[in-house]
Amino acid sequence: MNETLFKINLVEDEESLASILKAYMENEGWNVSVFHTAEEALDYMHNGVHLWVLDIMLPGMSGYDLIKKIKENHSEQPVIFISARDQDLDKILGLELGSDDYLAKPFLPKELVIRVKKLLHRVYGAGIHENRMVISKYQLDVVRRKVFDEENQMIELTTKEFDVLLYLVENVNVAKSRQDILTEVWGGDYVGSDRAVDDVVRRIRRKMGRLSLETVYGSGYRIVS
């Protein structure tokens, strides 16, 4: 049920270059979305992306303006800048704005792949296989603590909702009592009604209608794969 699913957003207005870079990155098994303008990419800022590759010189909004918006919303998302302009100036500006790496054009597509690999490993580590889980066509991004439906729309969950969901997904097909869930999510020193669990489960069901989240009478709850 676990899937490795690195999502990369590539923003490059040169269509031929963009398609070559996309092909090279997809060859690594990554899921690559291409945008030819920054404005177009803005609509996909919240689609659970793991890394951005941005050209600085774009028609309309520049890569500089786009990285500012990315970092305002998702400061943790790594960014690689690519540029054919004044390299030193671009590099300094890019790093100041929060880019994690920089490639000057022209470069070999393989070089970008190597940089992306290194950066993904640095940010997400070797545990990436466990960091993205799929259940009932929902994707749980464990690092970002976010959930996406099959259209890549983010589902807003509270901290407790995400914690309960993750606990049940990690124990898929196993019934967990309210007490198990309380101890795991609320902590062993929690004093209060176990109905708090029912309330959170009810909200998860409302937000994630396709999820097979069963009530096990006398036992508690389980998610069925």
Side-chain angles (χ1 to χ4, degrees), residues 167-168 174-184 194 197 216 218-222:
Y167 179 56
L168 292 173
V174 178
K176 289 293 175 184
S177 69
R178 290 184 181 87
Q179 194 53 54
D180 289 338
I181 297 168
L182 277 176
T183 304
E184 177 68 25
D194 62 7
V197 175
V216 183
S219 252
Y221 296 101
R222 76 168 161 230

Side-chain angles (χ1 to χ4, degrees), residues 132-196:
R132 188 126 313 212
M133 304 169 94
V134 178
I135 189 95
S136 303
K137 295 192 178 173
Y138 293 105
Q139 292 178 36
L140 276 71
D141 193 327
V142 181
V143 174
R144 306 279 177 253
R145 295 178 57 79
K146 287 177 182 165
V147 178
F148 301 90
D149 64 17
E150 58 188 326
E151 269 85 52
N152 263 324
Q153 297 301 308
M154 194 167 82
I155 297 165
E156 297 283 349
L157 295 185
T158 64
T159 302
K160 284 282 187 286
E161 287 163 8
F162 188 88
D163 288 342
V164 169
L165 175 66
L166 183 60
Y167 179 56
L168 292 173
V169 169
E170 285 175 337
N171 294 280
V172 71
N173 297 325
V174 178
K176 289 293 175 184
S177 69
R178 290 184 181 87
Q179 194 53 54
D180 289 338
I181 297 168
L182 277 176
T183 304
E184 177 68 25
V185 175
W186 277 261
D189 53 358
Y190 171 77
V191 284
S193 166
D194 62 7
R195 295 295 159 195

Side-chain angles (χ1 to χ4, degrees), residues 26-65:
E26 285 187 336
N27 199 39
E28 297 295 322
W30 303 326
N31 184 341
V32 183
S33 301
V34 174
F35 307 97
H36 299 303
T37 67
E39 288 84 350
E40 200 189 337
L42 277 179
D43 293 336
Y44 293 86
M45 197 183 292
H46 311 292
N47 67 341
V49 65
H50 290 95
L51 181 140
W52 291 79
V53 179
L54 300 185
D55 191 2
I56 291 174
M57 290 294 286
L58 293 164
M61 180 192 278
S62 74
Y64 290 138
D65 293 326

Side-chain angles (χ1 to χ4, degrees), residues 98-113:
S99 82
D100 299 84
D101 204 348
Y102 179 94
L103 262 178
K105 292 180 182 176
F107 55 83
L108 294 170
K110 189 70 189 161
E111 189 180 352
L112 176 64
V113 167

Side-chain angles (χ1 to χ4, degrees), residues 58-154:
L58 293 164
M61 180 192 278
S62 74
Y64 290 138
D65 293 326
L66 181 55
I67 194 177
K68 282 179 195 163
K69 292 203 175 293
I70 291 167
K71 292 297 180 181
E72 276 165 23
N73 287 278
H74 300 285
S75 59
E76 77 289 339
Q77 289 180 355
V79 176
I80 295 177
F81 258 151
I82 53 180
S83 173
R85 283 198 330 175
D86 182 336
Q87 294 168 15
D88 292 338
L89 177 66
D90 279 343
K91 189 168 187 176
I92 291 161
L93 254 175
L95 292 170
E96 277 180 357
L97 289 168
S99 82
D100 299 84
D101 204 348
Y102 179 94
L103 262 178
K105 292 180 182 176
F107 55 83
L108 294 170
K110 189 70 189 161
E111 189 180 352
L112 176 64
V113 167
I114 290 165
R115 300 285 189 100
V116 169
K117 245 184 208 165
K118 280 185 177 167
L119 190 49
L120 287 173
H121 193 270
R122 194 174 93 211
V123 175
Y124 300 99
I128 186 62
H129 291 279
E130 301 305 318
N131 290 345
R132 188 126 313 212
M133 304 169 94
V134 178
I135 189 95
S136 303
K137 295 192 178 173
Y138 293 105
Q139 292 178 36
L140 276 71
D141 193 327
V142 181
V143 174
R144 306 279 177 253
R145 295 178 57 79
K146 287 177 182 165
V147 178
F148 301 90
D149 64 17
E150 58 188 326
E151 269 85 52
N152 263 324
Q153 297 301 308
M154 194 167 82

